[in-house]
């Protein structure tokens, strides 16, 4: 069989698999076998038909670009979605192509492989089959779908640039690998670099997805806390009005039993919620106050011993940060509180405390908690560090990343006796 025909068949299989994967991921109901779609599909194969070469070259690159346009128009999706899906297809296919290549290079030459139509067809069939199977795995599909959703946001343009450079880097290294199909050090180094780029794309996208989930949770929490705080203020006004009315009733009655009962009711001054709001009354109304209020409610629910010390000198200007810094600040407070609550629950004393005060041009937050076991501070910011058991240990790692990437935060961690102390300073100029 002609090598030209084999390569055309191979590219047809790969492009068709990419279209099937796109249809599956986008859950499209579009009929594939229409005249228009067949023309678009043939267009994606045009470079292979016109510029045959047994090696990877610009033809492969142009074919992928046309495939992106093809899937965009067939499924009526935006170019970015098409690009991301086909990028993942290319990355996975490259992975399944490189691994066998690093093995077969020790037993045969590139020339023998590329002049044997049967070997070329069988290896491509295996690669396309494994690629399709890979995208049937729920975890892989979830990563692709979440990547598409995140990358549609304008603020994530830097991720698009990263993926684009990753795509180019994989293409270049793949091309270099095809030029040196011999069991040499350079060949293996090139392949390792390619696999590294592939791994980096998946790791980076996974980190972004986790980070965005945390942002979404905090944004939802902020909205909920605003509603809670507004509701609580309304209830406080009602309670105040009820107390006034009950006082009037007590003034006009001579029934001693009624007077005693009203006196008993009027002495009840603080519910748990009201008590917490009273403790944090010096924090200006806003996202931070709502978040702290919620976390203290959670700590109260778990029956932790809570201590709160808020400076009465705090003003709204002390919490007037940019939107980005305020968002990061909320994440840090949320992470530190969650870690403190969970660690305190495991301890004997079950204590947690919060201090907020001003020092010169800095706003200082100190969260202290008791803990169980021993803590090595050098490990505290490492990914996976935890004193709380399995499935934990990521909070402080992400918090440390936020602090390192900003000039506005200064974080300090100490351990004194049985107390874990987390201190966070925020520069006012931020």
């Amino acid at each position: 069989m002609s090598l030209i025909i084999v390569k055309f068949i191979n590219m047809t299989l790969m492009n068709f698999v990419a279209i099937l994967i796109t249809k599956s991921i986008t859950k499209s109901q579009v009929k594939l076998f229409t005249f228009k779609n067949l023309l678009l599909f043939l267009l994606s194969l045009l470079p292979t038909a016109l510029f045959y070469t047994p090696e990877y070259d610009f033809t492969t690159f142009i074919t992928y670009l046309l495939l992106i346009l093809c899937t965009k128009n067939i499924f009526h999706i935006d170019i970015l979605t098409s690009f991301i899906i086909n990028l993942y297809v290319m990355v996975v296919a490259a992975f399944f192509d490189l691994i066998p290549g690093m093995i077969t290079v020790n037993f045969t030459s590139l020339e023998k492989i590329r002049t044997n139509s049967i070997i070329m067809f069988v290896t491509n069939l295996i690669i396309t089959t494994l690629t399709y199977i890979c995208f049937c795995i729920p975890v892989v599909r979830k990563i692709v779908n979440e990547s598409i959703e995140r990358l549609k946001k304008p603020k994530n343009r830097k991720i698009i640039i990263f993926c684009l450079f990753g795509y180019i880097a994989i293409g270049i290294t793949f091309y270099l690998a095809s030029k040196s199909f011999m069991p040499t050090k350079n060949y293996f180094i090139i392949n390792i670099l390619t696999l590294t780029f592939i791994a980096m794309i998946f790791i980076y996208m996974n980190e972004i997805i986790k980070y965005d989930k945390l942002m979404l949770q905090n944004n939802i929490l902020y909205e909920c806390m605003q509603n809670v705080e507004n509701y609580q203020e309304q209830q406080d006004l009602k309670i105040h009005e009820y107390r006034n009315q009950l006082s009037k009733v007590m003034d006009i009655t001579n029934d001693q039993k009624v007077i005693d009962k009203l006196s008993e009711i009027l002495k009840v001054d603080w519910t748990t919620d009201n008590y917490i709001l009273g403790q944090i009354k010096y924090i200006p109304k806003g996202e931070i106050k709502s978040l702290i209020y919620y976390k203290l409610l959670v700590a109260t629910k778990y029956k932790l011993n809570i201590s709160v010390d808020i400076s009465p000198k705090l003003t709204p200007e002390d919490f007037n940060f940019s939107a980005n810094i305020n968002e990061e600040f909320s994440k840090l407070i949320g992470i530190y509180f969650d870690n403190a609550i969970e660690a305190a629950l495991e301890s004997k004393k079950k204590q947690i405390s919060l201090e907020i005060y001003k020092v010169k041009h800095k706003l200082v937050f100190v969260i202290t908690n008791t803990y169980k076991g021993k803590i090595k501070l050098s490990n505290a910011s490492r990914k996976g560090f935890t004193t709380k058991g399995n499935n934990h240990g990521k909070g402080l790692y992400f918090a440390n990343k936020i602090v390192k990437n900003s000039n506005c935060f200064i974080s300090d961690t100490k351990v004194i006796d049985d107390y874990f102390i987390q201190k966070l300073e925020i520069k006012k100029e931020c």
Side-chain angles (χ1 to χ4, degrees):
M1 188 184 294
S2 170
L3 291 175
I4 299 176
I5 296 175
V6 171
K7 184 167 184 180
F8 186 81
I9 293 173
N10 288 345
M11 190 57 69
T12 302
L13 285 173
M14 181 56 72
N15 284 14
F16 185 66
V17 165
I19 288 173
L20 289 178
I21 290 170
T22 304
K23 179 178 173 64
S24 175
I25 289 175
T26 58
K27 298 180 181 179
S28 174
Q29 301 299 320
V30 171
K31 294 182 179 179
L32 294 180
F33 300 102
T34 64
F35 181 73
K36 175 189 173 184
N37 291 344
L38 288 174
L39 281 179
L40 289 169
F41 180 67
L42 291 174
L43 178 64
S44 70
L45 299 172
L46 195 60
T48 304
L50 295 178
F51 309 105
Y52 169 74
T53 173
E55 302 173 347
Y56 293 106
D57 60 0
F58 74 96
T59 304
T60 307
F61 179 74
I62 295 174
T63 301
Y64 268 104
L65 291 181
L66 290 177
L67 180 61
I68 291 170
L69 295 174
C70 174
T71 51
K72 173 190 179 299
N73 288 283
I74 288 177
F75 300 106
H76 307 292
I77 55 180
D78 61 271
I79 191 72
L80 180 58
T81 301
S82 180
F83 169 75
I84 293 301
I85 294 174
N86 283 286
L87 173 63
Y88 274 110
V89 172
M90 187 207 76
V91 167
V92 172
F95 174 79
F96 288 125
D97 192 2
L98 284 173
I99 296 298
M102 294 178 69
I103 298 173
T104 57
V105 71
N106 296 285
F107 305 101
T108 185
S109 65
L110 179 63
E111 184 179 355
K112 288 182 180 180
I113 293 176
R114 289 182 174 168
T115 55
N116 190 314
S117 57
I118 296 176
I119 294 177
M120 286 183 64
F121 176 75
V122 171
T123 53
N124 185 77
L125 183 62
I126 293 172
I127 292 167
T128 52
T129 302
L130 291 175
T131 301
Y132 182 78
I133 292 173
C134 182
F135 281 91
C136 292
I137 301 173
V139 174
V140 176
R141 293 167 61 86
K142 182 180 178 182
I143 291 174
V144 177
N145 281 316
E146 290 184 339
S147 298
I148 292 170
E149 290 301 317
R150 299 297 182 267
L151 294 178
K152 284 181 179 179
K153 300 176 182 179
K155 64 180 181 179
N156 290 330
R157 298 304 179 195
K158 63 180 180 180
I159 308 173
I160 300 173
I161 296 173
F162 175 85
C163 291
L164 180 60
F165 278 110
Y167 176 84
I168 295 171
I170 290 172
I172 292 172
T173 52
F174 213 68
Y175 175 74
L176 292 174
S178 69
K179 289 291 186 180
S180 177
F181 194 79
M182 295 178 64
T184 61
K185 181 175 71 173
N186 288 339
Y187 175 78
F188 285 104
I189 289 174
I190 291 170
N191 279 274
I192 290 171
L193 282 174
T194 306
L195 293 173
T196 301
F197 280 123
I198 292 172
M200 285 175 62
I201 288 176
F202 278 100
I203 292 171
Y204 186 68
M205 293 306 302
N206 189 47
E207 290 293 324
I208 288 296
I209 289 169
K210 288 181 181 178
Y211 188 73
D212 279 0
K213 281 183 177 179
L214 183 62
M215 288 178 58
L216 180 61
Q217 290 172 358
N218 279 329
N219 289 337
I220 293 173
L221 177 62
Y222 171 54
E223 292 178 6
C224 290
M225 287 308 98
Q226 279 191 316
N227 294 333
V228 168
E229 189 173 18
N230 291 334
Y231 173 79
Q232 188 62 52
E233 287 183 351
Q234 292 174 4
Q235 297 307 306
D236 288 344
L237 289 173
K238 288 181 180 180
I239 291 171
H240 182 72
E241 184 60 26
Y242 292 155
R243 288 169 59 85
N244 289 338
Q245 297 301 325
L246 288 173
S247 298
K248 293 178 181 178
V249 172
M250 190 168 63
D251 289 337
I252 62 175
T253 184
N254 294 320
D255 191 320
Q256 190 58 44
K257 288 185 178 180
V258 173
I259 293 173
D260 292 342
K261 191 62 179 177
L262 289 176
S263 298
E264 180 184 343
I265 294 173
L266 290 173
K267 287 178 182 178
V268 179
D269 198 18
W270 297 102
T271 62
T272 300
D273 293 0
N274 285 332
Y275 173 75
I276 292 175
L277 283 174
Q279 292 286 87
I280 62 173
K281 64 182 179 181
Y282 294 120
I283 303 177
K285 182 179 178 181
E287 178 179 351
I288 301 301
K289 182 175 183 177
S290 299
L291 179 60
I292 292 173
Y293 171 66
Y294 171 72
K295 295 300 181 183
L296 290 175
L297 278 179
V298 172
T300 303
K301 176 185 175 183
Y302 288 130
K303 298 181 179 180
L304 296 178
N305 300 313
I306 300 172
S307 174
V308 180
D309 185 8
I310 311 294
S311 171
K313 297 180 180 180
L314 297 180
T315 64
E317 288 72 22
D318 296 323
F319 291 79
N320 187 22
F321 306 112
S322 66
N324 183 52
I325 296 301
N326 203 53
E327 189 175 278
E328 292 181 339
F329 187 22
S330 297
K331 292 174 190 173
L332 290 171
I333 293 298
I335 291 170
Y336 293 149
F337 252 115
D338 287 342
N339 278 276
I341 291 171
E342 292 186 44
L345 278 172
E346 298 294 326
S347 68
K348 290 183 179 180
K349 295 181 180 179
K350 300 185 183 301
Q351 293 181 354
I352 183 171
S353 69
L354 169 68
E355 297 176 67
I356 306 177
Y357 53 90
K358 294 189 291 186
V359 176
K360 296 182 179 178
H361 299 290
K362 295 176 184 176
L363 183 64
V364 182
F365 275 67
V366 182
I367 299 175
T368 304
N369 62 271
T370 52
Y371 65 93
K372 180 182 178 181
K374 296 181 179 180
I375 294 178
K376 188 176 180 181
L377 281 180
S378 59
N379 295 330
S381 60
R382 289 176 56 188
K383 190 173 184 178
F385 168 79
T386 179
T387 62
K388 301 167 287 184
N390 296 328
N391 300 320
H392 294 282
K394 296 180 181 178
L396 291 179
Y397 169 74
F398 284 118
N400 191 50
K401 286 182 67 175
I402 295 174
V403 173
K404 280 189 174 181
N405 292 329
S406 175
N407 294 323
C408 293
F409 302 111
I410 301 174
S411 178
D412 184 35
T413 306
K414 293 181 180 179
V415 173
I416 300 178
D417 295 332
D418 296 330
Y419 294 91
F420 184 88
I421 304 169
Q422 181 65 59
K423 183 178 180 182
L424 179 67
E425 298 180 3
I426 307 94
K427 299 177 183 177
K428 289 185 181 179
E429 56 266 26
C430 294

